[in-house]
Amino acid sequence: MKHTKTVIAIAIASLLAGCGGSDSDSDNNTPDPTTGTFSLGVSDNPADADVVNIAFKQVVLKNSDGAISFDVSEDGELKHVDLLTVQGQEVETLVTGQSVPLGEYQMCIYMQKSETANPDSSYVETASGIAGLTTNSNGSCGGEGAEDEDTGRLFFNKSFTIAAGTNTFVAEFNLAKGLQAPHGNKDYWTLKPTSVQLVNRSEVGAITGQISPETTASCQSAAVELGLPDEYSPAVYLYPTTTALTDMADFRGEDVPYLLTEVAPITSARVNELTNDSEEVIGHEYEFGFVVAGDYSLGYTCVAQNDDPEAANTPDDETDAFFIHLDEQDVTITEGGTTERHFPETFVPTP
């Protein structure tokens, strides 16, 4: 059965190297561990595009002692990852089994950027063809990092610890908020470096579910009543615990305020077709791959294409109204678990 998921993530794994597991040094004269092995992979939360291709160049970890750099190229070529092929909890590896001293770190990921359509660089593909993909951040990371003009930097402000034992993290990109379509006189896409959050994988779980045909139809009818064109982009938005349906707002730019009762979404997941072995559509599903354990609310919309990540979009907009049509409350995520929640909760998908 074919599944197409949604979440952009980067996993970091640190494993205790050469440790027998005893907590007593006197038993075998084994010294305290000083390093762990480091691995890094990529997975996705896509915006409304057919391909989001990142040409990765380098990963750098930095701390007060300096920086450690990892070249992620393959056979001298950049590591190209179409994020839409590694969605949900799937991961594409960037760095594997590198020894790293224990301690506190920050991370930078370097990508090749291009303002022109170039399949050999980073790009976004839509029904109209491909367009360049760039990011506005550059520079070194602890004195390390690619300095070429065509290099962009994704910087993680949040520090994390590589400790003895297993340490796995996920850098989750919110593309619905951080991937900006061409606008003004620009004909290229822009990836905001601030659209990423680092979480400890041991503290996260997943959410998955399906959308009932009745929910889809009623949302589309509501869109027609608002005078919207017959175009739909369904998505599920994740909100903090106990967010009422009337308070579920859209993504907005940092300089665009929310009203007193409006609540900003944490992230969103595209709703995708679920097909059988004969490629027949048998349902519609969504998935959040990496969510910190806790309580949440969910909101379903069929007009996610009208959510401009730089502006405030409401049901009152005359030409591009955005609204959350149906909510689900009391969604609890447990560490390492997968929570199933359909729209509505009483919906029973066909086996």
Side-chain angles (χ1 to χ4, degrees):
M1 184 171 293
K2 177 182 175 183
H3 296 266
T4 307
K5 315 290 188 189
T6 70
V7 178
I8 179 173
I10 293 173
I12 305 167
S14 168
L15 306 176
L16 178 61
C19 177
S22 173
D23 55 9
S24 173
D25 291 345
S26 60
D27 292 343
N28 53 17
N29 295 319
T30 301
D32 290 337
T34 59
T35 66
T37 57
F38 171 76
S39 301
L40 184 65
V42 182
S43 159
D44 166 68
N45 184 354
D48 193 16
D50 297 325
V51 174
V52 179
N53 182 82
I54 306 293
F56 291 101
K57 304 180 77 172
Q58 190 176 13
V59 173
V60 177
L61 303 184
K62 74 166 188 172
N63 62 12
S64 58
D65 296 326
I68 306 170
S69 175
F70 303 102
D71 182 357
V72 302
S73 61
E74 296 180 325
D75 299 324
E77 301 292 334
L78 299 180
K79 174 75 171 183
H80 285 259
V81 179
D82 174 9
L83 298 175
L84 303 193
T85 66
V86 284
Q87 300 182 42
Q89 301 178 72
E90 300 176 10
V91 172
E92 176 73 21
T93 301
L94 293 184
V95 180
T96 304
Q98 299 296 320
S99 181
V100 175
L102 308 182
E104 293 287 319
Y105 290 89
Q106 290 178 302
M107 183 171 66
C108 299
I109 297 177
Y110 290 90
M111 56 177 277
Q112 187 178 76
K113 62 182 182 180
S114 176
E115 293 184 358
T116 60
N118 181 3
D120 294 326
S121 184
S122 299
Y123 66 89
V124 173
E125 181 175 352
T126 65
S128 301
I130 72 170
L133 175 61
T134 186
T135 184
N136 296 326
S137 177
N138 51 39
S140 71
C141 191
E144 296 285 343
E147 301 293 344
D148 300 333
E149 290 185 0
D150 66 349
T151 298
R153 179 185 65 177
L154 304 174
F155 180 66
F156 300 75
N157 288 309
K158 181 180 178 180
S159 62
F160 59 94
T161 302
I162 291 184
T166 300
N167 304 266
T168 303
F169 297 83
V170 171
E172 186 173 32
F173 288 63
N174 186 348
L175 293 189
K177 182 177 181 180
L179 186 62
Q180 188 175 26
H183 61 284
N185 61 354
K186 300 177 180 178
D187 56 3
Y188 55 85
W189 293 67
T190 303
L191 179 62
K192 294 181 181 179
T194 56
S195 61
V196 60
Q197 177 185 6
L198 191 68
V199 296
N200 190 324
R201 193 163 185 174
S202 67
E203 299 173 353
V204 301
I207 312 171
T208 185
Q210 294 191 35
I211 313 299
S212 73
E214 293 76 15
T215 297
T216 300
S218 63
C219 183
Q220 293 178 359
S221 295
V224 170
E225 291 178 1
L226 291 174
L228 296 177
D230 188 18
E231 299 176 1
Y232 305 105
S233 180
V236 175
Y237 281 52
L238 179 72
Y239 293 91
T241 181
T242 320
T243 300
L245 175 62
T246 54
D247 296 333
M248 291 180 173
D250 60 334
F251 290 113
R252 298 179 188 177
E254 296 178 359
D255 298 329
V256 183
Y258 288 91
L259 300 179
L260 183 61
T261 62
E262 291 180 323
V263 178
I266 298 170
T267 187
S268 67
R270 180 189 293 187
V271 174
N272 297 288
E273 293 180 345
L274 177 63
T275 61
N276 59 20
D277 293 337
S278 300
E279 298 299 317
E280 299 171 327
V281 177
I282 59 174
H284 292 83
E285 65 173 359
Y286 73 94
E287 181 185 48
F288 293 95
F290 304 97
V291 182
V292 176
D295 296 325
Y296 297 90
S297 300
L298 297 170
Y300 168 79
T301 182
C302 56
V303 290
Q305 77 277 9
N306 290 341
D307 187 358
D308 183 342
E310 292 298 311
N313 303 107
T314 71
D316 297 326
D317 292 350
E318 293 184 1
T319 58
D320 55 354
F322 173 83
F323 60 92
I324 297 295
H325 180 65
L326 183 67
D327 67 316
E328 283 294 326
Q329 299 291 331
D330 302 319
V331 181
T332 300
I333 307 304
T334 59
E335 296 178 0
T338 298
T339 298
E340 186 176 74
R341 180 60 65 91
H342 304 305
F343 279 84
E345 184 178 9
T346 55
F347 173 58
V348 179
T350 302

